Amino acid sequence: MGPKVRMEMHMNNREKLLNSLRQHLSDASRPLHGFVLLQGGQEQTRYDTDHLDLFRQESYFAYLFGVVHPGFYAAIDVATGDSILFAPRLPSDYAVWLGEIKPLSYFKEHYMVTTACFSDEIASVLHQHYQGAGKPLLFLLHGLNTDSNNFSEPAQFQGIDMFDKDLMTLHPILTECRVIKSELEIALIQYANDISSEAHVEVMRKTKVGMKEYQLESIFLHHTYMYGGCRHCSYTCICATGDNSAVLHYGHAAAPNDKTLEDGDMALFDMGAEYHFYGSDITCSFPVNGKFTSDQSLIYSAVLDAHNAVISAMKPGINWVDMHILAEKVILESLKRGHIILGDVDDMMAARLGAVFMPHGLGHFLGLDTHDPGGYLKDLERRKEPGLKALRTIRDLQEGMVITVEPGCYFIDALLLPAMNSPETSKFLNRETINKFKGFGGVRIESDVLVTATGCYNMTKCPRDIREIEAVMAGAPWPDKISTHVG
Ligand code: LEU
């Protein structure tokens, strides 16, 4: 079962925000008062029906307060550091249909905040607490998510007009707090990784020709929920086999992991569980019949070499774009050795040939969100070149970042055909061998990696070498004892 959740983690997160915010305000010679005010997520019904989707807290709110209930607000007093939760006032029949109506004292104690009040009291409570002159100031969360291009919605409540609002300050500061993980956050990400790694091994062992892709998805979900207490996944499971493994985000409603596994197919399973809001993001690729062919070994080894080369090079100060380029180069060199591409690898790099085989970025921050925010600090601009423009961050690595390393190599007609017709890239492509790989799909190997003071640590513990995978699929025990690091 999952480890006990420690609310101190959220207290520490609030402390970290307060320190950064106060520092920022004093650097700008601004007064150190006002309130950080966040609105938590609301429960949603399915269209016009009363079917309730299972609620999952909004991630910034979860980061600071750890609240699992919908309909909350919360404030932090910048001057005193006091934290105040605002709970919805529930109707009495909540007790009949949904369970005990918890008293405010429960929320105060359970979530380790200074005070708990009702959400219809926000304006009056904050006015009482305020110690500055004039209207109290609210620091509201408003900013761009650079993965979705959506803006976070600033809090709204009755009486907000009685406050001054600052929409600019909070978002970049709070986002930056989330980029560097604390020990307690790392422990949760490690736990999500441990149980998900174990579930991937279970999937590998149970995979047989003739099964449906969704049966493997089901084994993963069962394992992480049954043995790990993980009710949520970090994202929709991608259980792709055969040519589906060249569809980067396969597994969605219109491509629902429903192909039958055929002898000779590669599988690409990208699945990660979430535990107390913190996630994992892991991909394993292997032949469904348990034995690599030489073509499969060629592509798999190209990707594994890239994965390992990046992890060997990662340490604070290394730039992520350089890691992407390193992965591309290792893959192109292997493809050249396999006569899939021809010519000089540096010329290929200049022609951005790598993006034909790996159109996505090498990896992204991971935490409360699968694509954790903070990839593009203010003033950092996205690159324009194919492949590089898909990077979800271009930052230098820092100790405490958790980032996925997920090189891939795919045979995607929608990219190969134009590349064969383009004067810049066609000369590198060996049509004859590439045609042999039609329908191959692709390979991705993805681990979650923590940047340490001197290098990095791979938090994912799945069989990666070809021999390890073949042995595990043939029934050998997976030797690494998977231990939880939560304490
Ligand atoms: N996680 C990747 C990304 O950066 C996509 C994945 C399907 C390779 O979007």
Side-chain angles (χ1 to χ4, degrees), residues 93-112:
D93 69 347
Y94 183 100
V96 177
W97 295 88
L98 296 158
E100 185 202 351
I101 297 179
K102 300 246 172 32
L104 293 176
S105 57
Y106 167 84
F107 295 118
K108 170 176 144 62
E109 267 161 47
H110 183 73
Y111 290 117
M112 302 173 89

Side-chain angles (χ1 to χ4, degrees), residues 147 235 238 247-250 268 270 281 283 358-364 370-371 390-392 404 406-408 410 444 446:
D147 293 303
Y235 50 96
I238 300 173
V247 180
L248 300 179
H249 281 160
Y250 182 73
L268 182 164
D270 185 344
D281 185 353
T283 309
M358 182 172 84
H360 59 74
L362 173 66
H364 50 81
T370 308
H371 296 154
L391 278 167
R392 295 179 186 279
T404 66
E406 49 177 313
Y410 315 86
R444 177 163 64 254
E446 178 178 23

Side-chain angles (χ1 to χ4, degrees), residues 381-400:
E381 271 203 38
R382 233 171 232 274
R383 301 280 292 246
K384 306 272 185 309
E385 304 96 312
L388 301 181
K389 68 180 177 204
L391 278 167
R392 295 179 186 279
T393 183
I394 55 168
R395 290 176 60 166
D396 289 346
L397 297 178
Q398 280 171 252
E399 182 180 357

Side-chain angles (χ1 to χ4, degrees), residues 193-337:
N193 259 275
D194 288 345
I195 193 69
S196 302
S197 298
E198 226 176 68
H200 269 282
V201 171
E202 190 63 13
V203 166
M204 238 175 232
R205 290 201 169 115
K206 297 247 164 78
T207 297
K208 297 277 173 301
V209 170
M211 290 175 86
K212 291 283 192 184
E213 293 164 340
Y214 57 73
Q215 294 182 296
L216 286 323
E217 174 179 16
S218 165
I219 290 169
F220 181 87
L221 297 176
H222 175 69
H223 191 93
T224 52
Y225 198 4
M226 178 83 182
Y227 302 107
C230 299
R231 195 173 196 191
H232 291 276
C233 278
S234 315
Y235 50 96
T236 306
C237 293
I238 300 173
C239 289
T241 58
D243 56 355
N244 293 335
S245 52
V247 180
L248 300 179
H249 281 160
Y250 182 73
H252 55 93
N257 295 331
D258 61 352
K259 184 179 114 59
T260 305
L261 276 57
E262 285 168 44
D263 201 14
D265 280 351
M266 274 300 278
L268 182 164
F269 292 159
D270 185 344
M271 308 186 275
E274 174 180 302
Y275 187 79
H276 188 65
F277 306 120
Y278 285 82
S280 59
D281 185 353
I282 299 175
T283 309
C284 293
S285 297
F286 54 90
V288 300
N289 65 12
K291 276 266 163 223
F292 282 81
T293 65
S294 59
D295 282 351
Q296 288 169 342
S297 303
L298 169 68
I299 306 304
Y300 186 86
S301 303
V303 177
L304 184 61
D305 288 350
H307 170 270
N308 295 346
V310 167
I311 292 177
S312 303
M314 282 172 66
K315 61 178 182 190
I318 291 281
N319 184 265
W320 196 238
V321 181
D322 293 337
M323 292 297 93
H324 181 100
I325 288 170
L326 171 64
E328 273 185 349
K329 193 158 186 198
V330 172
I331 291 170
L332 290 177
E333 276 161 358
S334 303
L335 296 184
K336 181 177 165 177
R337 279 197 299 276

Side-chain angles (χ1 to χ4, degrees), residues 166-179:
D166 176 328
L167 290 167
M168 302 297 288
T169 304
L170 181 60
H171 188 272
I173 292 175
L174 183 52
T175 301
E176 195 52 29
C177 289
R178 286 177 57 183
V179 171

